[in-house]
Amino acid sequence: MAVLVALGSFVMTLVGGWTAQHVSDRRHLVLGFAGGLMLGVVGFDLLPEAMEGAPERIYGVPAALLLFVGGFLVAHILERLLALRQAEHGAHQPGQVPQVGMGAASAMVGHSMADGVAIGASFQVDSAMGLTVALAVITHDFADGFNTYTVTRAYGNADRKALLMLFADACAPVVGAASTLFFTIPAQALACYLGFFGGALLYIAAAEILPEASHRHPARSTLLCTVAGAVLMWVVIGTAVD
């Protein structure tokens, strides 16, 4: 049942990626919307789950928040190191680092696999809980597919690579759900991962995606798309939780 339900995530992820692929003439609007979606996913989904699953404090700070900041810093350091390396090799567009886009997309694939594990683990409790979690995952997998394709292309990767990462992201929830037939990941470890990934995703949204969206098109429509993306995730996640 968990694997069958996870197939809904597969379809919704591909739909999100297809949508991102066919609006290239409005790239600034796509990036603005994607940045808002990322912000909403981090603030309304990942961070609350991480805080609930890993509330233990280390020197007065919840472990989930420490990992959140750690994820942000690791993403920043890796991006700077990759940018310097590409500049040393005479890159013509030092602002675009394809490896960063692939790394961000890979992190999203890992997040989607964790979503699948969450579906499978919840079904081990009971069917009602499994369906509730699956609804939340499937609903925001549109944003996952949209963001995976967008962030891969935004850093100068070829369309073929973006589609490959999109397909991997679509398959990840199914693989994650199937894995729970053999073993389960401890809840605290999963919460720690979500905190770390949330920090990395926030860096990509705030330091890369949103500035790029406004760089060439500093229009009100871009800002409205960003706000719309965040509000949409608020409504989607709030509806799924209720």
Side-chain angles (χ1 to χ4, degrees):
M1 176 63 73
V3 175
L4 290 176
V5 171
L7 289 174
S9 296
F10 175 86
V11 174
M12 191 61 72
T13 301
L14 292 181
V15 170
W18 181 89
T19 301
Q21 184 183 20
H22 287 80
V23 291
S24 57
D25 58 330
R26 293 290 185 268
R27 183 170 179 270
H28 60 291
L29 298 180
V30 172
L31 290 176
F33 188 65
L37 289 176
M38 287 176 160
L39 178 60
V41 168
V42 172
F44 306 140
D45 187 16
L46 298 183
L47 196 53
E49 286 188 27
M51 287 289 293
E52 182 178 352
E56 296 80 6
R57 292 179 176 268
I58 301 176
Y59 286 100
V61 179
L65 290 182
L66 284 176
L67 287 165
F68 178 78
V69 174
F72 189 97
L73 291 175
V74 167
H76 175 60
I77 292 170
L78 288 178
E79 194 235 359
R80 288 296 88 203
L81 290 176
L82 289 171
L84 288 173
R85 180 181 178 185
Q86 182 152 320
E88 290 173 356
H89 286 79
H92 297 293
Q93 290 180 297
Q96 286 190 331
V97 186
Q99 296 94 326
V100 174
M102 294 297 290
S106 298
M108 291 179 186
V109 173
H111 166 57
S112 294
M113 185 170 292
D115 281 344
V117 172
I119 292 175
S122 63
F123 268 101
Q124 292 180 3
V125 178
D126 59 62
S127 296
M129 179 175 291
L131 290 173
T132 300
V133 172
L135 175 62
V137 170
I138 291 172
T139 303
H140 81 249
D141 271 339
F142 175 86
D144 285 348
F146 190 98
N147 289 336
T148 298
Y149 182 88
T150 300
V151 76
T152 306
R153 290 287 288 147
Y155 281 89
N157 289 287
D159 186 64
R160 178 178 59 83
K161 288 186 176 181
L163 291 174
L164 179 63
M165 295 309 299
L166 174 64
F167 184 73
D169 190 45
C171 292
V174 181
V175 175
S179 72
T180 61
L181 299 175
F182 307 100
F183 63 90
T184 57
I185 297 177
Q188 187 173 10
L190 184 59
C192 289
Y193 166 78
L194 292 177
F196 183 86
F197 171 70
L201 195 61
L202 180 63
Y203 176 82
I204 296 296
E208 300 297 331
I209 298 297
L210 292 179
E212 177 66 18
S214 301
H215 177 61
R216 296 181 182 178
H217 298 275
R220 292 181 180 178
S221 57
T222 305
L223 296 176
L224 290 175
C225 283
T226 301
V227 174
V231 171
L232 175 62
M233 289 312 304
W234 177 26
V235 172
V236 166
I237 293 172
T239 302
V241 171
D242 292 339

